[in-house]
Amino acid sequence: MIRIIARENGPLLVEVDGQVQYALCRCGHSEKKPFCSGAHKAVGFKAPEAIIEVAK
Ligand code: FES
C-alpha cells in the first residue's frame, strides 16, 4: 500500500507498505528541498493532518 501522510504542522510522508520512504517539505522553508529539513518547526508552520491512500 502506498499512502501520502500530511503530518499535522509538518511534512508529507511517502509511506510504502508501512515504511516511510520520504519526508517531503510542504512549508517551503527546507534547506534540502524537496525533502523536509525540520525547518517547519522553527517557522511555526501550521497545517492540518491528512492521509491519502494512493495505491494498494
Ligand atoms: S515541512 Fe519540514 S522543512 Fe518544510
Side-chain angles (χ1 to χ4, degrees), residues 9-12 23-41 43 45:
N9 306 330
L12 295 171
L24 303 175
C25 177
R26 69 172 174 148
C27 76
H29 294 276
S30 175
E31 298 90 27
K32 56 176 190 175
K33 292 182 185 87
F35 304 105
C36 173
S37 68
H40 58 270
K41 295 175 193 156
V43 299
F45 178 67

